[in-house]
Amino acid sequence: MKLDELARLHRQMLVIRRAEERLKKLFADGLVPGFLHLSIGQEAVPVGVSQALTDNDTVSSNHRGHGHTLAKGVDLNGFFAEILGKATGLCKGRGGSMHVADLSKGMLGANGIVGAGLPITTGSALALKMQGQGNIAVVYFGDGALAEGVLHECLNMAALWKLPILFVCENNGWSEFSPTERQLATSLDKLAKAFSIKYSAVDGNVVADVTTTAARLVKTMRKTSAPAILECSTTRVRGHFEGDRQDYRDGDEIAALSERDPIRLNAAEMAKAGGTPEMLAEIADSVDAEIEAATEAALEAPLPSSADILADVYTKVAG
Amino acid sequence: MAEIRYIKAVNQALADAMEADPTVFLIGEDIGAAGGSFKATRDLLDKFGPERVYDSPISEAAITGMAVGAALTGMRPVVEIMFMDFTTLSMDMLVNQAAKARSMFGGQGSVPMVLRTPHGGGLNAGPQHSQCLEAWFAHVPGLRVVCPSNPADAYGLLRAAIDDPDPVIVVENKALYAMKGDLPDDREPIEIGKGRIVRPGRDATVVSYGAAVAMAQTAAETMAEEGIEVEVIDLRSIQPWDEDLVLESLTRTHNLVVAHEAVEAFGVGAEIVARMADIGFDQLDGPILRVGAPFAPSPFGKTLEDAYRPDASQIVAALRRTLA
C-alpha cells in the first residue's frame, strides 16, 4: 500500500483513538454520563472496512461502537455532544454512547443489546437488495455475539436469501468479562462453512490488510449480493467498560497488547514506505486540534430541555 | 358495500397497501405459497411475487428485527407472527429496537413497520397458542397497538397501520377470522387512536375491543330487556386509546365496565379504570369494574377453555354490580 493511503488510514484511526482517549479522560472527570465502552486497540477494523463503503451503504454497530460510527463519517462534533448528553448531539442527547446513529450517513445505530444489530442489518440488506442499487449492509459484532441465537437465524437468512450483508466479527477474545473459549463451543469459520457463507479472516490490527480484504469482499458483494463474513482478530485494551479494573485478565496479556497496537503497526508500515516522524507528528497535531475543538464545543453545548421529554416518541402525536 | 370475512378484509388491506406503495412488503412464516396459517396472505405471492412476499424460516426474532432494519432503510415491512404467543421471541426487536429507534436517535427517522398477529382463544389451541398479550405492547412507549373487532375495522386499521410512520402492532382475533361484515366501498384507513360507540345507551358504558365487543353487545341486549340502556364502546385502538370518548360516555352514563378477553389482572382494563378513576371520578355512580380472563394460563380442554374465556354473562354480572 502506498504511503499516502497508509497516511489516510492512519489519520482515521488516530481520530478514533484520540476521541476515545479524550472521552476516557472526560469520563474520569465525571463529564460523561452513563456507561462508556472503549474500542481502543480495535480501530483498524472499522477504518479498514469503511474504505469500501459509501453513505448509501448501511452499517450497524454494538455497544463498543465509537470506531464504527466515526469511520462511517459521522460528524465529530455531533458525536462528542451526543456522548456528553448534549442537545446538539447526533441524537439530541437521547441516545448516548451506546445509541449513536446518523441515518444520513447510513449509520443505523450502535446498540446496547449484544447481537441486536444482526437482524436489523440483515433487514437493511434485504431492503437494499429490493432497492437494487448495489448497496450493501455491514454489521459489526464481537465474538461474544456468536453465542446469541439471532446470529444463527441471520446467518441462515442471509445465506438462504442471498442478502448483501457483510458480517464483520471483531474477535477480541473477550465476551465482556469472560474469555471466548469459555463461551463458545465452535468458531466463526465453522459456522460460515455450516451456512455456506464466504469467510475471510484477517489480522484486524493491520489496517492495510483489513482494507484490502474488505475491498475485495465488498466489490464481489455489490455484484452478487451474496453475504460474506470477515473475522478480524483484534485486541481490547480497556475493560469491558470504563471503570472495569480487568482483574480477570492476566497482566502480561494486557502489557503485550501494545505490540499489536494497530496505530503503532501502521506507523511502522508508513516508515517502511518512506514516511517520516514529522509526517506522523503533523497528522497527530491536526487530529488533536480537531478532537479538542469537538470536545470544547460539546462541553459548552446546552443540555437537552426537560420540556422535550415526550418529543420524538412518535412521529405524529395522536388526538 | 360488500360483505366480506374478517380474514379476507385483512388480505384485501394488504393487497391494496401493496398496490398503493411499492415499498410495502410482507414477511412471515408460511405466508407465501401456503398463504399463511389462517390464509391472511392467500394469493398475494402470486399477485406480487417473491420480491414482495417473503416466506421466512421459523425465526421470529430475525424477521422482526429485519423489519426494523428494512424500515430504517426506506421500506414499509409488514410482519406476520403466526400466533401472538410467538411474539415473545420478537420482544427484543420490538421493545428495545423498533419502539425506541425514533426517540433514542433524536427523531432522525422512524420505523414504519407493522406486525400483525392473532390473539385469543376459542380454538382449544392451548396455553401457547391462545394468549392475549396486547397489554405488554401497550406498555411500551414508541409502539402503537390496534385490535379490530370486525371486518371493516380489520381493513381500515391495517391500512392505517401500514401508512403510519411508527411501528404498529395489529392484533387480530383468530376467533373472528370467519366473521362476516360489510366493507365500505371507499376502503379508507381508520384513524388510529379513535374509538367508536357501537351501541348508544344512557345507563352504563362498557368499553371493549376485539372479540369482547360482540360480548358487550350481547350483554347490552340482555340489559335492554330489563330497560337498562348500555352504551358499548369499541376502542379499536389500544395504544393510544380514546380517553376523550370514554370520559364523554362516562359523563353521560356514570357507570363503567371494561371488558376484554385478556387476563384481567394488570391489563388494558386496569389502565382504563385507573385513568377514569382519576379524570372521571366525579362522574362515577358505582365502582368501575373489569371483566377479563382469570389469572391462569389459557387451558386446552373444552370445558376448561369455555370456563376461562370471558363471556356476555360476566359483563352482565359486572353491569348489575356497578348499577346496584
Side-chain angles (χ1 to χ4, degrees):
Chain A
M1 201 170 267
K2 285 186 183 146
L3 179 60
D4 59 343
E5 192 174 358
L6 289 171
R8 197 165 52 79
L9 298 172
H10 197 82
R11 189 180 196 286
Q12 290 182 29
M13 289 198 292
L14 204 60
V15 167
I16 299 169
R17 172 68 57 88
R18 292 289 162 88
E20 288 202 311
E21 284 174 345
R22 195 71 185 83
L23 287 170
K24 179 166 78 120
K25 192 164 175 296
L26 291 165
F27 186 86
D29 292 343
L31 294 168
V32 180
F35 303 132
L36 192 66
H37 305 82
L38 298 180
S39 64
I40 290 173
Q42 303 187 170
E43 297 88 346
V45 177
V47 168
V49 169
S50 296
Q51 303 310 310
L53 307 179
T54 75
D55 286 354
N56 296 321
D57 297 314
T58 57
V59 305
S60 85
S61 164
N62 56 10
H63 57 288
R64 204 174 303 289
H66 302 155
H68 313 138
T69 306
L70 290 174
K72 195 67 169 60
V74 312
D75 175 60
L76 194 62
N77 290 317
F79 170 84
F80 262 91
E82 184 56 35
I83 292 175
L84 267 57
K86 297 301 183 77
T88 53
L90 282 164
C91 308
K92 300 181 190 164
R94 279 206 291 270
S97 166
M98 273 190 282
H99 306 289
V100 181
D102 185 346
L103 300 183
S104 70
K105 294 280 180 187
M107 171 47 189
L108 305 184
N111 214 301
I113 310 289
V114 171
L118 288 154
I120 292 170
T121 317
T122 306
S124 185
L126 175 64
L128 293 172
K129 184 173 182 174
M130 291 173 78
Q131 290 158 8
Q133 304 294 312
N135 298 315
I136 68 149
V138 176
V139 56
Y140 296 101
F141 57 101
D143 47 295
L146 297 176
E148 288 281 7
V150 287
L151 174 95
H152 305 263
E153 293 187 18
C154 290
L155 291 178
N156 181 51
M157 201 85 80
L160 193 67
W161 291 354
K162 227 178 147 192
L163 301 179
I165 176 170
L166 179 62
F167 295 92
V168 180
C169 177
E170 294 172 314
N171 189 339
N172 61 25
W174 289 93
S175 302
E176 302 193 4
F177 313 104
S178 300
T180 306
E181 65 265 22
R182 284 216 317 264
Q183 299 277 311
L184 203 65
T186 184
S187 55
L188 188 52
D189 59 321
K190 288 181 186 151
L191 291 173
K193 203 171 168 195
F195 288 104
S196 304
I197 297 178
K198 184 174 180 179
Y199 170 89
S200 301
V202 68
D203 183 334
N205 286 20
V206 179
V207 71
D209 289 358
V210 179
T211 304
T212 312
T213 308
R216 181 169 47 78
L217 292 173
V218 170
K219 192 178 171 197
T220 309
M221 289 172 68
R222 291 198 196 282
K223 278 186 274 186
T224 63
S225 103
I229 295 172
L230 177 60
E231 182 166 14
C232 304
S233 59
T234 186
T235 47
R236 191 188 89 195
V237 175
R238 303 292 298 171
H240 170 52
F241 51 74
E242 280 309 282
D244 167 15
R245 293 159 56 92
Q246 304 208 78
D247 294 338
Y248 49 88
R249 267 175 108 169
D250 188 283
D252 293 342
E253 183 219 336
I254 298 177
L257 294 177
S258 67
E259 283 174 29
R260 283 195 66 206
D261 183 328
I263 290 173
R264 198 167 142 182
L265 292 176
N266 192 61
E269 284 306 303
M270 285 175 67
K272 276 193 243 167
T276 60
E278 291 72 28
M279 194 177 181
L280 287 173
E282 205 176 298
I283 293 173
D285 288 347
S286 92
V287 167
D288 286 344
E290 222 177 287
I291 299 295
E292 217 33 57
T295 305
E296 286 308 314
L299 285 169
E300 284 164 24
L303 291 163
S305 163
S306 58
D308 289 338
I309 199 151
L310 294 178
D312 296 325
V313 177
Y314 295 98
T315 307
K316 292 188 292 190
V317 178
Chain B
M1 283 288 193
E3 192 177 60
I4 190 170
R5 288 193 192 273
Y6 190 115
I7 193 74
K8 178 65 187 160
V10 172
N11 181 277
Q12 187 72 53
L14 293 171
D16 288 355
M18 292 175 81
E19 200 77 64
D21 181 350
T23 68
V24 176
F25 73 92
L26 312 183
I27 182 167
E29 295 157 10
D30 299 317
I31 66 164
S37 258
F38 295 98
K39 306 298 172 198
T41 51
R42 190 198 293 264
D43 298 332
L44 297 181
L45 176 63
D46 285 346
K47 191 159 185 220
F48 295 99
E51 289 80 26
R52 304 279 303 277
V53 180
Y54 291 90
D55 243 335
S56 82
I58 304 174
S59 303
E60 290 83 2
I63 61 176
T64 309
M66 286 174 71
V68 179
L72 285 169
T73 312
M75 306 303 281
R76 288 187 179 264
V78 181
V79 182
E80 176 177 302
I81 298 292
M82 197 181 281
F83 288 85
M84 189 169 211
D85 316 71
F86 307 169
T87 61
T88 50
L89 295 156
S90 305
M91 274 305 198
D92 172 46
M93 289 300 143
L94 290 171
V95 176
N96 290 322
Q97 314 299 335
K100 293 177 175 50
R102 179 173 176 77
S103 168
M104 76 183 167
F105 299 161
Q108 285 181 57
S110 67
V111 182
M113 67 176 279
V114 170
L115 185 142
R116 300 178 33 249
T117 192
H119 77 170
L123 275 67
N124 301 109
Q128 296 174 347
H129 290 72
S130 306
Q131 294 171 86
C132 298
L133 302 173
E134 55 276 8
W136 289 0
F137 299 100
H139 188 66
V140 178
L143 298 180
R144 297 198 189 284
V145 184
V146 300
C147 187
S149 68
N150 61 73
D153 285 9
Y155 181 90
L157 288 170
L158 181 52
R159 287 301 303 272
I162 295 171
D163 288 347
D164 200 280
D166 296 313
V168 183
I169 313 295
V170 178
V171 184
E172 297 159 6
N173 189 293
K174 60 178 97 73
L176 299 183
Y177 275 151
M179 175 187 192
K180 285 183 182 168
D182 288 329
L183 181 65
D185 293 330
D186 59 5
R187 308 215 296 256
E188 290 291 323
I190 292 170
E191 187 182 350
I192 294 175
K194 294 283 181 233
R196 185 172 72 103
I197 295 171
V198 294
R199 179 191 174 106
R202 59 168 192 267
D203 298 320
T205 302
V206 178
V207 173
S208 59
Y209 60 86
V213 173
M215 297 174 204
Q217 284 173 293
T218 305
E221 282 161 24
T222 304
M223 298 301 280
E225 288 165 15
E226 300 168 21
I228 296 166
E229 291 303 327
V230 174
E231 180 147 299
V232 177
I233 291 179
D234 179 354
L235 282 181
R236 291 175 149 175
S237 169
I238 294 167
Q239 182 56 268
W241 60 279
D242 198 340
E243 194 178 280
D244 294 344
L245 181 69
V246 176
L247 182 62
E248 186 274 326
S249 177
L250 179 63
T251 303
R252 284 184 284 103
T253 66
H254 308 292
N255 288 283
L256 181 62
V257 170
V258 185
H260 52 55
E261 190 178 338
V263 166
E264 181 183 314
F266 291 86
V268 172
E271 174 64 20
I272 295 168
V273 168
R275 253 332 256 166
M276 288 304 132
D278 176 354
I279 61 175
F281 186 75
D282 293 340
Q283 301 298 331
L284 290 167
D285 283 351
I288 322 174
L289 299 177
R290 288 173 294 163
V291 174
F295 198 61
S298 179
F300 157 67
K302 184 159 172 30
T303 51
L304 289 168
E305 192 185 41
D306 288 349
Y308 178 84
R309 295 182 77 210
D311 61 19
S313 71
Q314 290 174 41
I315 300 175
V316 168
L319 283 165
R320 289 195 203 291
R321 223 185 108 202
T322 192
L323 287 163

